[in-house]
Amino acid sequence: MTDSSGAKAAMIEISGLRKDYGSVVALHDTELSVPTGEFLTLLGPSGSGKTTLLNLIAGMASPTRGRIVINGRDVTEVPAEKRGLGMVFQNYALMPHMTVSENIAFPLEIRKVPRAEIRRRVAEVLDLVRLPHVGDRKPKELSGGQQQRISIARCIVYKPDLILMDEPLGALDKKLREQMQLEIRRIHKELGITMLYVTHDQEEALNMSDRIMLMNARRVEQIGTPDQLYFAPRTQFAADFIGASTLLDATVAETGEPALLRLSASESCRVRLHSAAPVGTVGKLLLRPEALRLVQNGQVTAGHNVLHGHLDNTLVTGATSKHFVTLDNGATLAIQELTDPSTTRLEPGLRVQVSWPPETGRFLEN
Amino acid sequence: MQIRTTNAHVRDAAYAMPAALFMALLFALPLFSVLHQSLQQENGGGLTIQAYAKIFTTPLFLRVAYTTLEVSISATVFSLLLAYPIAYFLAKQSPRRRALYMILVLVPFWTSSLVKSFSFMVLLGQSGIINQMLGAFGIAPVKMLFNRFGVMVGMSHFLIPFFVFPILTSLRSQPLELAKAAAIMGAGKLRIFLRVTLPLSLPGVMAGALLVFILSLGFYIIPALLGGRQDMMFANLVDFYTREALNWPMASAVAVLLVAAAALAAMLLSKVRGGSSILSEEGH
Ligand SMILES: Nc1ncnc2c1ncn2[C@@H]1O[C@H](COP(=O)(O)OP(=O)(O)O)[C@@H](O)[C@H]1O
Ligand SMILES: [Mg+2]
């Protein structure tokens, strides 16, 4: 679906949306625009307002204020059953008294689809979720992963404009979860349906999303592509929540390209500032483990930053290894490198240096 | 494993001992005495099944059996129609309100049948409160007492709590997401009720129906006080044989058949889904 300018039309347009329960704010004023066909993930810790936002969009709760426009239609006052959306729940929400086929046929019956077509479409979606032979079974005769596939099938069978998923893989074990992530991505690609996906698992969000909306304390923290959130977090919360990270206390000592950060009385480093922070600004320096190098005997590349400390231990996790270092200022950090036999046998307690190029560090104001 | 389980059974049985002893003395023993009585000859002598043979050929017994069945079934249906909306309403309340309303449901339950029956006589009588109110509008008195209507009112009033609780339990055990999922798929309120809520509450309805039916079979005071001559039920027949006909073997035989019918229904109850939870804690 494209408008005359060729740009993608928005499937969801949310403005000034807020939800209070008495004196409790469940969602602070929120703006959001989701282009048609996008896979957007709402990511955030438990209690950050993800379900509240999803329920407002689904029509299961009414907002205290604000507007929700779906596919060009203002649905703020429209009841859930008239919004024409799809939703997948963590606990599958399959009707236990109906067979798998009856479950999938249910939304089609509501839409008064003729019997023969119902039969054809049920078979079609069962194929799509790769469970063609379970139509006559009851949901409880299926495994958790299979039940979730059926609940996805029940959703896509009536071709809603938008599918909402609230932690759909939360009840599955890790291996199955990864399999289902791929499956949901495949279905999204094949059908091109806009999906709004909720999870508290940052890895899942990074794996699946076109864009991630990070939520914290019942408001939007940052919204962007997985790359943007990983490499350019705008807040300490975002840096900490997504990916592994070390955050060191830092103060801007000199502005410029690159700027100078003071880390302690005797230590400083260079960093590219992404915002105009004047001298004296207090914050944290974000270092990702894979951007750091363990150095012995001071063989530091020219122009790279360096901090001194001693090695606590080294973990070989396969293709990569992790070194844990305590810096002289007392802070600890992790370094992740491709496994190299010359650095895996280092003695704990050894004096080492940690180095990184100025462009990989990131200063985040308090 | 096997030994441990056996030990556990022995231990569990020990907990049930006081109750079992109590039941043995005050229920099983009298029951056996009734059974024994039912096998006596009318004028003394050896054991015989004379009373049973006679019962099944007595028109009075057959008529009462038919009435008992008819009254029990209609009381069950009548109570269901009144109890389901109550249970549905309770299920939708917040826990606080539900607790409060539940007390209201239970009040009649805590009141003696005798007191309630006399209250209904005051309410439903020829010159009772309701007929006086109708009279004020110029409506002729309606006969609501000493007939089937009076029996139905009295019985359902007593039985409704027994129906509300199993239905409420099965309504409350339904995951909230099911109705939510159905609504998002486009189902309106009526369709959600008919296709999701109601079918999933049927185990509770079945369990409640059997329970209420069993209780109905043994009703005595209400048919005696609120019903007419033609509303005589099993228990009233026992009363008739003991006090008026002075035929104890016949009275005992009717009692034994009543217990057997109730036991049969209770066995059915343990077979239905949800019913076992009424009979035992662990039946899920
Ligand atoms: N029905 C409700 N009544 C009161 N507070 C609620 C209700 N629903 C959610 N909240 C509050 O709103 C906040 C966000 O909840 P929720 O959207 O469920 O978070 P998440 O899905 O991210 O875990 C929480 O602090 C929660 O306590
Ligand atoms: Mg949630």
Side-chain angles (χ1 to χ4, degrees):
Chain A
M1 193 176 287
T2 53
D3 63 23
S4 53
S5 68
K8 287 238 171 144
M11 176 54 69
I12 311 176
E13 284 284 4
I14 282 171
S15 51
L17 193 69
R18 178 191 177 95
K19 178 66 182 174
D20 297 333
Y21 288 102
S23 59
V24 181
V25 187
L27 184 71
H28 289 282
D29 294 43
T30 295
E31 312 290 322
L32 173 64
S33 173
V34 183
T36 299
E38 182 170 75
F39 194 111
L40 178 76
T41 298
L42 305 188
L43 173 67
S46 172
S48 57
K50 309 180 296 291
T51 298
T52 302
L53 178 53
L54 218 61
N55 279 341
L56 290 173
I57 294 172
M60 298 311 302
S62 52
T64 305
R65 60 166 181 260
R67 309 230 58 86
I68 304 168
V69 176
I70 295 174
N71 211 4
R73 167 170 164 242
D74 187 333
V75 297
T76 316
E77 311 290 334
V78 176
E81 67 266 24
K82 301 249 161 63
R83 292 195 184 187
L85 308 181
M87 186 150 179
V88 175
F89 296 81
Q90 178 169 351
N91 299 317
Y92 326 127
L94 295 171
M95 307 302 165
H97 57 298
M98 299 182 191
T99 65
V100 165
S101 292
E102 286 165 353
N103 263 286
I104 299 174
F106 185 53
L108 299 179
E109 283 167 24
I110 295 170
R111 285 162 181 75
K112 306 208 161 46
V113 176
R115 277 185 177 284
E117 197 189 333
I118 289 183
R119 216 169 307 122
R120 188 180 58 72
R121 279 167 70 175
V122 168
E124 201 177 281
V125 290
L126 280 174
D127 275 345
L128 187 72
V129 298
R130 305 185 194 195
L131 288 171
H133 304 301
V134 303
D136 295 329
R137 293 196 215 163
K138 285 282 174 67
K140 68 166 182 287
E141 294 166 46
L142 303 179
S143 71
Q146 289 173 326
Q147 288 187 55
Q148 198 54 293
R149 281 173 203 227
I150 297 306
S151 89
I152 291 169
R154 180 179 66 175
C155 213
I156 57 189
V157 76
Y158 60 95
K159 304 186 174 91
D161 293 334
L162 170 64
I163 295 181
L164 311 171
M165 301 197 187
D166 196 351
E167 314 220 10
L169 310 183
L172 306 180
D173 60 49
K174 188 168 164 57
K175 192 151 184 261
L176 198 54
R177 214 156 57 216
E178 281 166 4
Q179 220 175 315
M180 287 294 291
Q181 288 171 8
L182 293 174
E183 193 84 344
I184 292 173
R185 274 303 276 175
R186 176 181 66 82
I187 290 168
H188 174 253
K189 277 224 172 66
E190 277 180 32
L191 303 179
I193 299 179
T194 313
M195 289 192 183
L196 203 57
Y197 187 95
V198 166
T199 180
H200 62 261
D201 179 346
Q202 48 104 8
E203 220 177 294
E204 191 164 290
L206 292 173
N207 282 348
M208 301 181 73
S209 321
D210 293 329
R211 279 196 309 160
I212 295 171
M213 174 159 137
L214 181 64
M215 300 193 64
N216 178 30
R218 288 153 279 133
R219 62 175 94 237
V220 180
E221 185 84 8
Q222 186 173 351
I223 182 161
T225 63
D227 274 17
Q228 285 167 344
L229 268 101
Y230 189 80
F231 292 112
R234 279 208 298 267
T235 61
Q236 293 174 20
F237 175 85
D240 197 37
F241 198 83
I242 295 180
S245 59
T246 299
L247 291 166
L248 301 175
D249 289 324
T251 309
V252 177
E254 282 172 26
T255 53
E257 280 296 315
L260 186 72
L261 289 184
R262 182 148 304 286
L263 301 175
S264 68
S266 59
E267 291 163 315
S268 59
C269 70
R270 296 272 169 195
V271 72
R272 288 235 157 73
L273 294 181
H274 60 277
S275 62
V279 171
T281 308
V282 181
K284 303 264 191 208
L285 172 68
L286 163 68
L287 297 171
R288 296 284 189 203
E290 69 278 11
L292 300 175
R293 287 288 158 270
L294 186 73
V295 181
Q296 300 166 67
N297 319 318
Q299 299 160 341
V300 178
T301 313
H304 284 198
N305 294 304
V306 61
L307 291 176
H308 298 266
H310 61 266
L311 187 69
D312 287 332
N313 60 6
T314 297
L315 285 182
V316 181
T317 54
T320 64
S321 303
K322 266 188 177 161
H323 306 289
F324 295 92
V325 173
T326 300
L327 300 176
D328 289 348
N329 63 23
T332 60
L333 51 72
I335 301 168
Q336 189 169 31
E337 293 185 324
L338 287 178
T339 299
D340 173 353
S342 70
T343 59
T344 56
R345 305 253 180 273
L346 297 176
E347 282 296 315
L350 187 75
R351 290 291 300 168
V352 291
Q353 293 87 52
V354 178
S355 101
W356 71 96
E359 60 275 14
T360 58
R362 195 167 168 86
F363 177 70
L364 301 166
E365 290 176 30
N366 278 353
Chain B
M1 186 64 206
Q2 198 56 51
I3 292 165
R4 231 209 64 77
T5 318
T6 313
N7 280 341
H9 277 303
V10 170
R11 199 192 53 219
D12 289 351
Y15 289 126
M17 270 311 283
L21 217 63
F22 181 85
M23 288 301 277
L25 282 174
L26 291 159
F27 179 71
L29 216 59
L31 189 64
F32 271 110
S33 130
V34 168
L35 185 63
H36 186 253
Q37 184 70 254
S38 74
L39 295 169
Q40 298 291 319
Q41 287 174 22
E42 267 171 53
N43 310 314
L47 292 184
T48 171
I49 55 160
Q50 202 184 51
Y52 292 95
K54 207 169 153 194
I55 266 180
F56 284 110
T57 50
T58 309
L60 176 64
F61 173 82
L62 296 175
R63 211 191 72 215
V64 170
Y66 181 77
T67 307
T68 305
L69 211 63
E70 196 183 61
V71 168
S72 298
I73 290 172
S74 39
T76 304
V77 172
F78 204 57
S79 309
L80 171 63
L81 294 179
L82 292 169
Y84 200 102
I86 296 174
Y88 189 79
F89 172 81
L90 286 174
K92 291 211 172 297
Q93 302 304 310
S94 68
R96 264 180 84 98
R97 277 168 167 254
R98 185 162 46 239
L100 184 75
Y101 292 143
M102 225 113 96
I103 293 174
L104 296 182
V105 173
L106 282 170
V107 167
F109 190 65
W110 291 328
T111 319
S112 120
S113 267
L114 203 57
V115 172
K116 283 191 293 187
S117 295
F118 283 123
S119 314
F120 278 124
M121 291 169 99
V122 172
L123 271 172
L124 305 176
Q126 198 69 10
S127 52
I129 295 173
I130 293 179
N131 272 327
Q132 278 177 22
M133 276 164 56
L134 291 179
F137 292 101
I139 301 169
V142 181
K143 186 167 165 53
M144 292 178 288
L145 212 53
F146 310 126
N147 59 10
R148 189 59 59 82
F149 180 82
V151 177
M152 282 302 120
V153 170
M155 284 179 76
S156 0
H157 190 254
F158 177 88
L159 293 167
I160 281 170
F162 293 96
F163 230 139
V164 166
F165 287 98
I167 297 174
L168 180 61
T169 304
S170 68
L171 285 173
R172 297 239 303 128
S173 65
Q174 294 181 18
L176 287 175
E177 278 102 57
L178 297 183
K180 196 169 149 180
I184 291 172
M185 282 186 276
K189 298 219 158 40
L190 182 65
R191 191 190 297 266
I192 293 175
F193 178 75
L194 292 177
R195 292 294 309 274
V196 182
T197 315
L198 181 63
L200 287 175
S201 69
L202 285 183
V205 171
M206 275 309 291
L210 273 167
L211 181 67
V212 163
F213 180 74
I214 294 167
L215 289 170
S216 302
L217 289 176
F219 263 65
Y220 168 66
I221 294 176
I222 289 169
L225 293 183
L226 302 180
R229 261 248 156 282
Q230 73 289 356
D231 297 310
M232 192 183 234
M233 291 176 69
F234 267 156
N236 308 100
L237 189 62
V238 174
D239 177 57
F240 168 78
Y241 278 124
T242 0
R243 294 198 302 148
E244 288 176 45
L246 297 175
N247 188 338
W248 284 42
M250 284 290 270
S252 302
V254 174
V256 167
L257 289 173
L258 178 54
V259 171
L264 193 74
M267 267 164 58
L268 278 174
L269 181 59
S270 69
K271 291 276 182 287
V272 300
R273 227 157 23 105
S276 46
S277 63
I278 287 179
L279 295 177
S280 78
E281 279 294 320
E282 48 185 308
H284 285 291

